[in-house]
Amino acid sequence: MSEVTNTTQAPFYFILTGIPGFEAFHIWISIPFCCLYTISIVGNTTILTVIRTEPSLHQPMYLFLSMLALTDLGLTLTTLPTVMQLLWFNIPKISFEACFAQFFFLHGFSFMESSVLLAMSFDRYVAICRPLHYATILTSEVIGRIGLAIIGRCILAVLPSLFLLKRLPFCHSHLLSHSYCLHQDMIHLVCADIRVNSWYGFALVLLIIVMDPLLIILSYTFILKNILGTASWTERLRALNNCLSHILAVLVLYVPMIGVSMTHRFAKHASPLVHVIMANIYLLAPPVMNPIIYSVKTKQIRQGIFHVLFQRKVY
């Protein structure tokens, strides 16, 4: 009979997994991971610095972009410690409390990414479909309330799943399948009835992972309808170009998310390496790609970056 480990027993820890089958090459694998984390931190910090220092960028679109950069930065810093300690120092253990703390921030920032992209789609809808009312609808006060609502929504979404999981006993192996603590990974180590956890997880999928993309599609349906009603192709292309960065950011988040879901659903018996690669793409792609997308596709951000660099050089 397997021994049950409860939260009251100490010490208790989970064991993280790096890249299955490539443990001997972890130090070399750490190089691309280190580069991706560096790109994410430098890129998102640069976006935040440019928006903060450039008065011309204190507009709703860029304030939402700063929320996205903060979310990406938080997501990066949440997974970086456990991933790099495993790859660099071969330290696979993580304490019970530290694992649940990472669980909270990891899923919280993931949900926040989706929520911010939804808010940005509303911003694009108002800018294109109701341009004359843009400044009066999306005031600084309204944007602040949207930001607080996003934070509240994500905290209220993650906390119940955390407490529901933390109350359960863990048994058998403490070995996790990834180099960070994911709910869908940790729940497999529980030796108790998890029906409540499963139903709550299903409700979260419907309310956030399904509803957010549907609302984004709905907003772009109205945008496309409005664009097709404009007089000239020049105006249509200009409007579409204003939405391109956001569309790419949405694809960067939801395509890997769908890929991870499909892998868990239809490729349960696939190599553990496949699941690890898909999970890492899902968590690293948005924080790495978003600052690149907005720096390349948004003229005002490019000009702001050059302005900040030029000022520093002169100084």
Side-chain angles (χ1 to χ4, degrees), residues 82 131 159 225:
T82 53
L159 276 182
K225 182 179 178 181

Side-chain angles (χ1 to χ4, degrees), residues 197-232:
N197 302 65
S198 298
W199 279 109
Y200 184 77
F202 179 71
L204 278 186
V205 168
L206 291 179
L207 290 174
I208 295 180
I209 300 176
V210 173
M211 182 180 292
D212 285 3
L214 288 178
L215 291 175
I216 291 172
I217 292 172
L218 180 64
S219 69
Y220 273 103
T221 301
F222 289 124
I223 289 171
L224 189 60
K225 182 179 178 181
N226 183 273
I227 289 174
L228 293 177
T230 57
S232 67

